[in-house]
């Protein structure tokens, strides 16, 4: 089969490799669409502790069951499925604490390698997180299930409520999905601050009442959320400066979701008094559970998430090295690779 194999950081090759072997409990999915994601970009640039090299990249995908081991009963060959790359074990400390998003073996037994014609899905993953594709939903849309599940889970942590005001920092795919989720929860005023004009236009089309570009001063943002600042700030960048900006803009008594992760080891100096006397609630968030996988797929089926503004290009998988190279087209949100 053809696949995009990462041989070393900055060395991604589209080449012929064997179709993955699968055991009695596993299945093989014929990938019909796989999306770009920041995680794969980071793995390409500097490697990733959980992603095998050499190995195929890609973890946001959808396709059809091409083959199933003898012991498999929950899916059949030919089923169109939405699938994510992980599932919890159900037995470890965190699964016991009902925090399966932190499952100790979550990333040890992943279905990684969706930038390929076929991907092998471990038994515990397809049993929990391989769902029939609703009729009418495209494979590209279904491939958004994984990143959307992350957003749904993060949104539950910070729990935006009806009538609240929300500031979203960042204009990438996550930020734009958060706009739609905040609006669905009945947020009263949603504003997005970002750096890319085209993406901010998408944010406005997705329901943001106001967008702030690179030239906007913090005072302009605060003026929009007068008199006190936004009830909730969603940080969707992953940068120490933006984390601090979130803290400086949220109103006293407000809540912050730190969705964007900073690189390992980064420390962020913060105003302790602002958190303590300002009674701020700050939430981290990681991944999702099988519950959010279902919720995300339902949201996509309902049409309440603007899919095609997020997927800005649809190209053959053979184009992949170009999209990961230094001369990749600028300003795309997500690209769908079609193997
Ligand atoms: Zn992703
Ligand atoms: Zn576990």
């Amino acid at each position: 089969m053809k696949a995009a194999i990462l041989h070393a950081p900055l060395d991604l090759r589209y080449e012929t490799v064997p179709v993955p072997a699968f055991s009695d409990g596993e299945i093989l999915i014929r990938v019909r669409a796989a999306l770009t994601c920041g995680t794969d970009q980071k793995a390409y640039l500097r490697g990733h502790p959980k992603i095998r090299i050499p190995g195929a990249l890609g973890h946001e995908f959808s396709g059809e069951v091409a083959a199933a081991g003898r012991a498999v009963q929950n899916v059949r060959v030919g089923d169109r499925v939405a699938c994510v790359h992980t599932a919890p074990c159900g037995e470890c400390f965190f699964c016991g604490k009902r925090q399966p998003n932190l499952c100790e073996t979550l990333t040890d037994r992943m279905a990684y390698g969706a930038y390929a014609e076929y991907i092998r899905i471990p038994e515990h993953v397809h049993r929990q997180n391989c769902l029939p594709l609703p009729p009418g939903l495209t494979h590209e849309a279904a491939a958004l299930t994984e990143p959307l599940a992350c957003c749904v889970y993060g949104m539950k942590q910070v729990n935006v409520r009806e009538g609240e005001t929300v500031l979203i920092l960042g204009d990438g795919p996550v930020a734009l999905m958060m706009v739609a989720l905040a609006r669905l929860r009945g947020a009263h005023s949603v504003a997005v601050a970002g750096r890319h004009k085209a993406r901010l236009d998408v944010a406005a089309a997705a329901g943001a009442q106001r967008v702030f570009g690179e030239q906007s001063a913090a005072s302009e943002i605060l003026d929009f959320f007068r008199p006190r600042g936004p009830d909730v700030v969603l940080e969707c960048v992953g940068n120490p400066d933006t984390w601090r900006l979130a803290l400086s803009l949220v109103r006293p008594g407000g809540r912050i979701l730190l969705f964007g992760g900073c690189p390992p080891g980064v420390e962020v100096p913060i105003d302790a008094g602002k958190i303590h006397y300002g009674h701020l609630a700050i939430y981290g968030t990681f991944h999702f559970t099988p519950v959010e996988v279902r919720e995300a797929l339902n949201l996509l089926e309902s049409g309440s998430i603007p899919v095609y503004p997020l997927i800005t290009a649809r190209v053959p998988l053979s184009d992949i090295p170009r999209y990961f190279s230094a001369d990749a087209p600028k300003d795309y949100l997500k690209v769908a690779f079609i193997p």
Side-chain angles (χ1 to χ4, degrees):
M1 68 169 185
K2 291 291 190 186
I5 306 291
L6 186 68
H7 286 266
L10 304 177
D11 182 7
L12 182 68
R13 301 181 210 162
Y14 178 70
E15 59 192 15
T16 303
V17 296
V19 172
F22 58 97
S23 69
D24 282 353
E26 296 178 328
I27 64 172
L28 204 60
I29 288 182
R30 172 72 173 91
V31 179
R32 292 299 180 194
L35 306 179
T36 49
C37 168
T39 303
D40 293 297
Q41 312 266 13
K42 280 183 226 163
Y44 168 77
L45 290 173
R46 49 180 185 259
H48 190 290
K50 297 291 183 182
I51 298 173
R52 221 179 312 134
I53 290 182
L57 290 181
H59 66 279
E60 298 177 5
F61 66 99
S62 169
E64 293 144 18
V65 178
R70 276 178 299 182
V72 173
Q73 299 200 327
N74 54 311
V75 292
R76 289 211 186 122
V77 172
D79 285 356
R80 297 170 79 238
V81 288
C83 192
V84 299
H85 61 303
T86 63
C89 74
E91 290 166 1
C92 72
F93 173 85
F94 293 104
C95 285
K97 293 283 184 190
R98 298 192 182 186
Q99 293 178 308
N101 59 311
L102 299 178
C103 173
E104 287 167 6
T105 58
L106 195 72
T107 53
D108 293 345
R109 299 179 297 149
M110 292 189 287
Y112 221 91
Y115 297 160
E117 286 180 274
Y118 296 93
I119 182 170
R120 179 177 58 94
I121 313 294
E123 182 171 1
H124 73 293
V125 175
H126 73 72
R127 275 176 180 269
Q128 297 179 76
N129 283 338
C130 191
L131 306 174
L133 207 65
L137 199 65
T138 64
H139 283 297
E140 288 117 79
L144 280 171
T145 302
E146 195 271 344
L148 182 59
C150 292
C151 296
V152 170
Y153 188 78
M155 188 55 97
K156 282 184 187 174
Q157 309 313 306
V158 73
N159 192 21
V160 167
R161 294 184 284 263
E162 190 161 359
E164 289 194 309
T165 57
V166 179
L167 171 64
I168 297 172
L169 299 176
D171 57 15
V174 163
L176 300 174
M177 286 188 275
M178 287 298 199
V179 171
L181 294 179
R183 296 290 291 170
L184 284 170
R185 282 172 163 258
H188 173 254
S189 297
V190 177
V192 176
R195 289 184 165 175
H196 307 84
K197 164 91 176 68
R199 296 176 177 195
L200 292 172
D201 290 345
V202 174
Q209 281 96 338
R210 182 74 190 269
V211 296
F212 296 96
E214 206 166 5
Q215 310 305 329
S216 305
S219 57
E220 267 180 77
I221 298 176
L222 283 175
D223 188 53
F224 176 75
F225 289 105
R226 68 183 167 272
R228 300 278 181 191
D231 297 317
V232 177
V233 178
L234 310 177
E235 200 278 359
C236 304
V237 178
N239 174 304
D241 292 338
T242 329
W243 278 35
R244 296 179 70 191
L245 185 64
L247 270 157
S248 73
L249 294 176
V250 72
R251 72 163 171 84
R255 311 190 299 286
I256 296 173
L257 178 70
L258 298 173
F259 189 101
C262 297
V266 165
E267 298 195 358
V268 183
I270 50 175
D271 181 341
K274 173 115 193 172
I275 298 174
H276 178 78
Y277 295 105
H279 188 150
L280 298 186
I282 301 176
Y283 299 86
T285 184
F286 174 71
H287 215 63
F288 50 78
T289 80
V291 172
E292 288 76 38
V293 175
R294 281 147 183 82
E295 290 176 4
L297 190 59
N298 289 342
L299 282 166
L300 290 163
E301 184 186 10
S302 73
S304 40
I305 303 296
V307 169
Y308 284 96
L310 287 175
I311 299 174
T312 42
R314 186 177 189 278
V315 301
L317 183 62
S318 52
D319 274 8
I320 200 168
R322 188 165 77 92
Y323 278 87
F324 277 76
S325 69
D327 51 51
K330 296 282 177 276
D331 230 27
Y332 66 82
L333 279 161
K334 277 185 177 289
V335 176
F337 297 116
I338 312 299

